Amino acid sequence: MTIINVRDNPAYKEQAIAYIQSKWANRRNKAVYEDCISHSIDAKNPLPIWYLLLDADIIIGCAGLITNDFISRMDLCPWLCALWVDKKYRGQNLGNLLIAQIKEDTAKAGFDTLYLSTDHKGYYEKYGFSYIGDGYHPWGERSRIYGCEVG
């Protein structure tokens, strides 16, 4: 398994856009992913960073490290987002490979805590995340917020 940092490997940009859109986008927000991933390549700031998980040359997963995950807690940064592992590869601890890489890059960027928002209970706790409260999305939904020290 290989993790590709799309910023460091811009040849993967189009594949990253297509894959991440296929897992997370709908017709209304498709452009958000394309624009964010495209502009992450030459960004002057350390974030965002998008990742692909490959099995040989097949993309089987993805994740992002971003400044805010469309949630009210804009005082918290950075955020793990868009974590996905294809169904036939689940149960092999591969999500943790992406999480571990993102934790490492979070620390390298000078942050001591990584956040995420989710409705899942029990998954992220296995990887050191603790529930810290709820946050609210612009479209009116609520999500659980978790944090994890990375340093």
Side-chain angles (χ1 to χ4, degrees):
M1 299 297 161
T2 305
I3 296 175
I4 299 295
N5 173 324
V6 179
R7 177 182 282 202
D8 293 342
N9 297 277
Y12 283 89
K13 180 182 90 169
E14 296 304 323
Q15 291 172 285
I17 291 167
Y19 184 83
I20 294 167
Q21 284 177 331
S22 76
K23 304 307 176 197
W24 292 103
N26 60 45
R27 65 174 179 78
R28 294 184 317 182
N29 67 9
K30 209 171 174 186
V32 170
Y33 291 98
E34 180 175 3
D35 197 44
C36 184
I37 295 165
S38 293
H39 287 96
S40 73
I41 305 287
D42 296 320
K44 294 183 186 339
N45 294 317
L47 303 177
I49 303 171
W50 293 91
Y51 304 85
L52 296 174
L53 178 63
L54 280 68
D55 181 7
D57 60 350
I58 300 168
I59 300 171
I60 63 162
C62 62
L65 178 59
I66 60 174
T67 57
N68 185 273
D69 199 9
F70 303 109
I71 197 154
S72 58
R73 292 297 306 271
M74 294 186 188
D75 58 310
L76 305 177
C77 181
W79 295 77
L80 164 67
C81 74
L83 179 66
W84 183 269
V85 174
D86 285 346
K87 289 181 180 161
K88 77 178 201 175
Y89 288 89
R90 291 181 186 169
Q92 301 175 47
N93 206 31
L94 298 177
N96 190 41
L97 292 178
L98 287 161
I99 292 169
Q101 182 64 58
I102 290 173
K103 284 180 180 178
E104 182 180 320
D105 289 348
T106 297
K108 282 182 190 173
F111 299 98
D112 58 4
T113 306
L114 176 63
Y115 301 94
L116 64 88
S117 67
T118 186
D119 294 327
H120 294 291
K121 293 179 184 175
Y123 179 76
Y124 293 100
E125 292 89 339
K126 294 185 287 188
Y127 305 113
F129 286 88
S130 298
Y131 172 72
I132 61 171
D134 288 349
Y136 304 90
H137 299 284
W139 50 89
E141 292 179 13
R142 176 192 306 199
S143 288
R144 298 171 60 82
I145 296 174
Y146 290 81
C148 179
E149 290 186 19
V150 297

